[in-house]
Amino acid sequence: MSGEALAGPDGVRRCPWALSTEDYVAYHDQEWGRPVHGDDALFERLSLEAFQSGLSWITILRRREGFRTAFADFRIVKVAAFTQADQERLLADPGIIRNRAKVEATLSNARVLADWAPGELDELIWSYAPERTSRPAPSSLADVPAVTTESTALSKDLKRRGLRFVGPTTAYALMQACGLVDDHLAGCAARNS
């Protein structure tokens, strides 16, 4: 598959990764790279990116509703109150990824974030958004980094504050998914839309 924006069956040019399934087309066109704000919404994205570590994104995307149900729609205060019984329930839930370390990290992260002021997670994450003009539109997938200085700094800051499963690659995937950076390729219909 070419690393450049390609026309799909509908004639719309998209990033090539978006053309493999209808799930990806919808995610690419409607969500990926669009600004996300709100502590709970960002907690959801951060958690899902952590669960994705070592897996393909389609695995997470297809279980997203299961994750939302299992984790109380990622409402930080509710997840922070989960008990040991809730943790065991999650580890037995076939609707999510049943990885003990990732489940424990999500619960731990919610407990940390529950002590933050409202809006603090949103403000912190968005403080690491680079200037939109700081780099040109990538012309191919080879031009899209996996880690940047901003994602490394965000990762370090989140870890310093007690969050887990937030390495630089996960932080950059979060930045891409939540619109802090626009990594839609040049020529992609979703770029800057």
Side-chain angles (χ1 to χ4, degrees), residues 71-154:
F71 285 97
D73 289 322
F74 290 95
R75 288 183 301 252
I76 294 169
V77 172
K78 287 195 173 218
V79 178
F82 278 17
T83 64
Q84 184 65 37
D86 289 310
Q87 180 174 311
E88 295 308 315
R89 171 187 54 80
L90 292 168
L91 292 170
D93 187 338
I96 67 169
I97 304 302
R98 295 172 286 181
N99 177 295
R100 182 173 296 277
K102 293 175 183 181
V103 167
E104 289 175 354
T106 302
L107 300 181
S108 173
N109 290 348
R111 291 177 188 123
V112 169
L113 294 172
D115 289 335
W116 291 19
E120 189 174 351
L121 178 62
D122 188 301
E123 184 178 331
L124 174 73
I125 288 174
W126 277 91
S127 74
Y128 286 94
E131 289 294 321
R132 284 281 183 184
T133 57
S134 66
R135 66 175 209 230
S139 58
S140 74
L141 294 177
D143 297 332
V144 178
V147 173
T148 63
T149 54
E150 293 90 359
S151 75
T152 300
L154 173 57

Side-chain angles (χ1 to χ4, degrees), residues 30-76:
Q30 299 164 18
E31 289 187 67
W32 192 74
R34 301 208 189 279
V36 173
H37 286 282
D39 293 343
D40 290 342
L42 288 166
F43 173 60
E44 174 184 358
R45 297 296 183 89
L46 184 64
S47 300
L48 293 177
E49 293 296 347
F51 272 100
Q52 186 272 331
S53 181
L55 303 170
S56 69
W57 179 245
I58 197 70
T59 301
I60 303 304
L61 194 57
R62 288 182 174 159
R63 293 179 186 215
R64 192 174 189 184
E65 289 310 314
F67 275 107
R68 286 176 171 163
T69 299
F71 285 97
D73 289 322
F74 290 95
R75 288 183 301 252
I76 294 169

